[in-house]
Amino acid sequence: MRYLLRMASMVTATGDADLVAFGRVYIANLDLPARFKANAPLTPYDRHTFYGGSERLHRLPVPRLH
């Protein structure tokens, strides 16, 4: 998952992109900027829980970086 941050940094630094969106990764890691800053592991995403796609969504804890 670290590749995401390195690639985003590279493409913005070279001017190949003005903005990079993390979409699914952000949905699973609402504290994504803090995780990137702390070089912390990312919680894997589960598409079945996106946007109310499963009743499991309401029972799953969202791990937060402390």
Side-chain angles (χ1 to χ4, degrees):
M1 289 293 202
R2 282 284 132 222
Y3 177 76
L4 293 171
L5 181 57
R6 283 195 302 266
M7 180 59 89
S9 296
M10 185 176 69
V11 298
T12 54
T14 61
D16 290 334
D18 294 322
L19 175 78
V20 176
F22 291 97
R24 296 178 197 136
V25 176
Y26 179 77
I27 292 171
N29 298 274
L30 298 178
D31 55 353
L32 188 62
R35 287 178 182 268
F36 280 163
K37 186 175 182 179
N39 199 27
L42 301 178
T43 302
Y45 63 84
D46 179 358
R47 292 179 194 215
H48 299 290
T49 63
F50 289 177
Y51 309 114
S54 170
E55 61 186 54
R56 289 184 359 189
L57 175 65
H58 302 290
R59 291 183 274 152
L60 294 175
V62 177
R64 298 285 181 147
L65 184 63
H66 298 286

